[in-house]
Amino acid sequence: MADITPIEKTIEVGASPQHAFEFFTAHLGDWWPVHSHSIGASVHDTPPDHVIMEPQVGGRIYEVMADGTEHDWGKIRVWAPHSRLVFSWQFHKPDSQATEVEVHFAPIGHGRTRVDLTHRHWDNDPNGKELREGYQSGWDPVLASYKSGVAAD
């Protein structure tokens, strides 16, 4: 399979890199649009009760349903507080099919931060080309929810 072009998204938020990073990671369940972007919503027609990102290399990203069932989203590969985060993105698929998401938090002055997200390694998944097409627009509401959440925090 030919190399599939990564998705690249950039937004600016009205928060310091420290706050932007902490809100993205520690408050993932507060801002992530679980009603439309979760395994629970797509498989069980009900959003999860919690979304958790464990703050360390090897930490899990997962959702927890009301009955306690957990669904894995990925694992932390790089944890560089306030500047960079890299995680696998498998969203209920085997490790061998995981894509990868990298997020940079860069100060741009006046208490603002540029957040650059790159989603890559689509060739790991047999349906990578089709998945990429959906995620190209799918990241937009996710990042919009993050941006409005960090602004209100």
Side-chain angles (χ1 to χ4, degrees):
M1 184 184 299
D3 188 36
I4 303 169
T5 306
I7 293 171
E8 296 178 342
K9 301 286 184 176
T10 298
I11 60 170
E12 292 182 9
V13 297
S16 68
Q18 293 80 8
H19 184 71
F21 181 93
E22 288 169 11
F23 190 78
F24 191 98
T25 59
H27 298 278
L28 182 65
D30 296 335
W31 63 265
W32 191 273
V34 294
H35 292 283
S36 59
H37 291 71
S38 68
I39 296 169
S42 62
V43 174
H44 306 291
D45 290 329
T46 184
D49 276 3
H50 308 290
V51 179
I52 299 164
M53 182 180 290
E54 297 174 338
Q56 66 215 16
V57 171
R60 293 170 55 214
I61 305 169
Y62 61 101
E63 64 183 53
V64 182
M65 303 303 292
D67 67 0
T69 302
E70 297 179 355
H71 297 288
D72 286 330
W73 291 10
K75 291 190 176 101
I76 306 296
R77 293 180 174 170
V78 176
W79 183 266
H82 313 145
S83 64
R84 184 171 171 245
L85 173 69
V86 180
F87 50 92
S88 67
W89 190 252
Q90 51 208 84
F91 216 65
H92 211 47
K93 291 191 173 201
D95 289 344
S96 62
Q97 294 180 7
T99 57
E100 183 176 81
V101 177
E102 181 168 3
V103 187
H104 284 265
F105 301 84
I108 53 175
H110 306 290
R112 297 188 58 76
T113 299
R114 187 183 73 238
V115 180
D116 297 309
L117 180 142
T118 303
H119 194 163
R120 60 182 168 243
H121 300 314
W122 296 102
D123 347 21
N124 290 345
D125 192 295
N127 299 314
K129 188 174 181 180
E130 294 79 19
L131 284 174
R132 187 204 178 278
E133 289 176 21
Y135 277 94
Q136 177 65 38
S137 60
W139 277 113
D140 294 336
V142 171
L143 291 174
S145 183
Y146 166 70
K147 184 174 181 173
S148 65
V150 76
D153 188 51

